[in-house]
Tab-separated table of all heavy atoms in Angstrom:
chain	number	residue	atom	x	y	z
L	148	ILE	N	14.522	-137.735	-26.690
L	148	ILE	CA	14.883	-136.677	-25.791
L	148	ILE	C	15.564	-137.378	-24.588
L	148	ILE	O	15.084	-138.273	-24.003
L	148	ILE	CB	13.735	-135.931	-25.451
L	148	ILE	CG1	12.989	-135.253	-26.653
L	148	ILE	CG2	13.955	-134.938	-24.248
L	148	ILE	CD1	11.723	-134.671	-26.459
L	149	HIS	N	16.707	-136.774	-24.428
L	149	HIS	CA	17.522	-137.409	-23.239
L	149	HIS	C	17.079	-136.619	-21.984
L	149	HIS	O	16.952	-135.328	-21.961
L	149	HIS	CB	19.006	-137.133	-23.423
L	149	HIS	CG	19.765	-137.652	-22.322
L	149	HIS	ND1	20.164	-139.004	-22.123
L	149	HIS	CD2	20.406	-137.012	-21.224
L	149	HIS	CE1	20.865	-139.187	-21.063
L	149	HIS	NE2	21.092	-137.979	-20.596
L	150	ARG	N	16.837	-137.343	-20.710
L	150	ARG	CA	16.468	-136.641	-19.581
L	150	ARG	C	17.332	-136.900	-18.458
L	150	ARG	O	17.761	-137.959	-18.313
L	150	ARG	CB	15.022	-137.169	-19.270
L	150	ARG	CG	14.070	-137.331	-20.520
L	150	ARG	CD	12.856	-137.809	-20.151
L	150	ARG	NE	12.747	-139.245	-19.968
L	150	ARG	CZ	12.416	-140.066	-20.965
L	150	ARG	NH1	12.235	-139.653	-22.267
L	150	ARG	NH2	12.455	-141.436	-20.766
L	151	GLU	N	17.670	-135.837	-17.669
L	151	GLU	CA	18.392	-136.135	-16.542
L	151	GLU	C	17.674	-135.605	-15.222
L	151	GLU	O	17.664	-134.417	-14.955
L	151	GLU	CB	19.719	-135.206	-16.651
L	151	GLU	CG	20.832	-135.950	-17.237
L	151	GLU	CD	22.078	-135.090	-17.377
L	151	GLU	OE1	22.779	-135.055	-16.459
L	151	GLU	OE2	22.387	-134.613	-18.507
L	152	ASP	N	17.158	-136.492	-14.607
L	152	ASP	CA	16.395	-136.262	-13.244
L	152	ASP	C	17.196	-135.476	-12.291
L	152	ASP	O	16.604	-134.673	-11.610
L	152	ASP	CB	15.970	-137.579	-12.701
L	152	ASP	CG	14.825	-138.244	-13.393
L	152	ASP	OD1	14.447	-137.683	-14.470
L	152	ASP	OD2	14.516	-139.372	-13.134
L	153	GLU	N	18.430	-135.690	-12.298
L	153	GLU	CA	19.273	-135.064	-11.259
L	153	GLU	C	19.294	-133.532	-11.401
L	153	GLU	O	19.492	-132.779	-10.503
L	153	GLU	CB	20.690	-135.529	-11.303
L	153	GLU	CG	20.989	-136.789	-10.297
L	153	GLU	CD	20.705	-136.526	-8.924
L	153	GLU	OE1	21.255	-135.395	-8.439
L	153	GLU	OE2	19.839	-137.109	-8.385
L	154	ARG	N	19.166	-133.138	-12.663
L	154	ARG	CA	19.227	-131.579	-12.854
L	154	ARG	C	17.882	-130.949	-12.801
L	154	ARG	O	17.875	-129.838	-12.852
L	154	ARG	CB	19.828	-131.488	-14.351
L	154	ARG	CG	21.335	-131.810	-14.347
L	154	ARG	CD	21.671	-131.595	-15.943
L	154	ARG	NE	23.197	-131.762	-15.943
L	154	ARG	CZ	24.085	-130.925	-16.400
L	154	ARG	NH1	23.666	-129.640	-16.671
L	154	ARG	NH2	25.297	-131.157	-16.477
L	155	CYS	N	16.922	-131.714	-12.767
L	155	CYS	CA	15.469	-131.224	-12.841
L	155	CYS	C	15.140	-130.404	-11.517
L	155	CYS	O	15.480	-130.807	-10.471
L	155	CYS	CB	14.450	-132.391	-13.057
L	155	CYS	SG	12.792	-131.644	-13.037
L	156	SER	N	14.689	-129.201	-11.705
L	156	SER	CA	14.396	-128.263	-10.703
L	156	SER	C	12.928	-128.369	-10.295
L	156	SER	O	12.558	-127.739	-9.312
L	156	SER	CB	14.545	-126.820	-11.061
L	156	SER	OG	13.663	-126.533	-11.981
L	191	PHE	N	12.652	-135.393	-8.529
L	191	PHE	CA	11.586	-135.516	-9.716
L	191	PHE	C	12.060	-136.657	-10.666
L	191	PHE	O	13.267	-136.734	-10.936
L	191	PHE	CB	11.745	-134.097	-10.323
L	191	PHE	CG	11.737	-132.995	-9.498
L	191	PHE	CD1	12.797	-132.287	-8.935
L	191	PHE	CD2	10.343	-132.648	-8.937
L	191	PHE	CE1	12.676	-131.281	-8.048
L	191	PHE	CE2	10.443	-131.506	-7.972
L	191	PHE	CZ	11.409	-130.892	-7.501
L	192	HIS	N	11.056	-137.229	-11.199
L	192	HIS	CA	11.304	-138.144	-12.302
L	192	HIS	C	10.691	-137.728	-13.569
L	192	HIS	O	9.500	-137.591	-13.512
L	192	HIS	CB	11.062	-139.549	-11.849
L	192	HIS	CG	11.197	-140.568	-12.856
L	192	HIS	ND1	12.447	-140.966	-13.495
L	192	HIS	CD2	10.310	-141.308	-13.600
L	192	HIS	CE1	12.302	-141.743	-14.477
L	192	HIS	NE2	10.994	-142.160	-14.609
L	193	ILE	N	11.456	-137.616	-14.503
L	193	ILE	CA	10.815	-137.032	-15.930
L	193	ILE	C	10.473	-138.167	-16.767
L	193	ILE	O	11.336	-139.096	-17.082
L	193	ILE	CB	11.666	-136.083	-16.615
L	193	ILE	CG1	12.423	-135.223	-15.780
L	193	ILE	CG2	11.087	-135.364	-17.760
L	193	ILE	CD1	13.788	-134.585	-16.260
L	210	CYS	N	13.236	-125.714	-21.070
L	210	CYS	CA	13.963	-126.151	-19.675
L	210	CYS	C	15.149	-125.299	-19.594
L	210	CYS	O	16.023	-125.254	-20.408
L	210	CYS	CB	14.291	-127.592	-19.857
L	210	CYS	SG	15.230	-128.084	-18.410
L	212	TYR	N	17.272	-125.647	-17.058
L	212	TYR	CA	18.108	-126.316	-16.029
L	212	TYR	C	18.961	-127.486	-16.755
L	212	TYR	O	19.491	-128.351	-15.950
L	212	TYR	CB	17.240	-126.865	-14.967
L	212	TYR	CG	16.491	-125.720	-14.105
L	212	TYR	CD1	15.401	-125.212	-14.705
L	212	TYR	CD2	17.173	-125.099	-13.113
L	212	TYR	CE1	14.692	-124.180	-13.969
L	212	TYR	CE2	16.616	-123.960	-12.458
L	212	TYR	CZ	15.316	-123.630	-12.902
L	212	TYR	OH	14.756	-122.425	-12.251
L	213	ASN	N	19.003	-127.536	-18.016
L	213	ASN	CA	19.651	-128.464	-18.739
L	213	ASN	C	19.363	-130.004	-18.312
L	213	ASN	O	20.120	-130.863	-18.352
L	213	ASN	CB	21.216	-128.266	-18.501
L	213	ASN	CG	21.604	-126.976	-19.122
L	213	ASN	OD1	21.084	-126.445	-20.004
L	213	ASN	ND2	22.615	-126.315	-18.406
L	214	ALA	N	18.031	-130.152	-18.087
L	214	ALA	CA	17.680	-131.448	-17.683
L	214	ALA	C	17.117	-132.305	-18.931
L	214	ALA	O	16.961	-133.503	-18.882
L	214	ALA	CB	16.587	-131.514	-16.638
L	215	LEU	N	16.906	-131.504	-19.983
L	215	LEU	CA	16.487	-132.046	-21.247
L	215	LEU	C	17.368	-131.679	-22.432
L	215	LEU	O	17.763	-130.594	-22.558
L	215	LEU	CB	15.034	-131.572	-21.621
L	215	LEU	CG	13.886	-131.821	-20.495
L	215	LEU	CD1	12.648	-131.159	-20.903
L	215	LEU	CD2	13.705	-133.310	-20.344
L	216	ARG	N	17.589	-132.627	-23.371
L	216	ARG	CA	18.352	-132.290	-24.529
L	216	ARG	C	18.148	-133.395	-25.610
L	216	ARG	O	17.651	-134.523	-25.201
L	216	ARG	CB	19.809	-132.187	-24.243
L	216	ARG	CG	20.476	-133.398	-23.930
L	216	ARG	CD	21.956	-133.140	-23.624
L	216	ARG	NE	22.565	-134.194	-22.798
L	216	ARG	CZ	23.019	-135.291	-23.195
L	216	ARG	NH1	22.999	-135.682	-24.445
L	216	ARG	NH2	23.504	-136.178	-22.380
L	221	ALA	N	25.321	-132.570	-27.534
L	221	ALA	CA	26.230	-132.788	-26.345
L	221	ALA	C	25.559	-132.175	-25.144
L	221	ALA	O	24.823	-131.066	-25.324
L	221	ALA	CB	27.511	-132.043	-26.694
L	222	PRO	N	25.772	-132.687	-23.979
L	222	PRO	CA	25.246	-131.925	-22.802
L	222	PRO	C	25.754	-130.440	-22.623
L	222	PRO	O	26.899	-130.253	-22.891
L	222	PRO	CB	25.588	-132.870	-21.604
L	222	PRO	CG	26.562	-133.774	-22.226
L	222	PRO	CD	26.722	-133.721	-23.678
L	223	ARG	N	24.878	-129.612	-22.277
L	223	ARG	CA	25.418	-128.230	-21.883
L	223	ARG	C	25.694	-128.296	-20.365
L	223	ARG	O	25.397	-129.086	-19.638
L	223	ARG	CB	24.269	-127.302	-21.997
L	223	ARG	CG	23.887	-126.993	-23.452
L	223	ARG	CD	22.591	-126.303	-23.726
L	223	ARG	NE	21.412	-126.960	-23.209
L	223	ARG	CZ	20.230	-126.400	-23.274
L	223	ARG	NH1	19.971	-125.203	-23.574
L	223	ARG	NH2	19.233	-127.103	-22.895
Side-chain angles (χ1 to χ4, degrees):
Chain L
I148 295 171
H149 180 81
R150 313 178 283 268
E151 269 182 79
D152 290 351
E153 267 306 302
R154 289 177 178 240
C155 178
S156 70
F191 314 98
H192 174 65
I193 314 161
C210 181
Y212 297 87
N213 299 329
L215 302 173
R216 65 180 158 86
R223 291 170 289 176

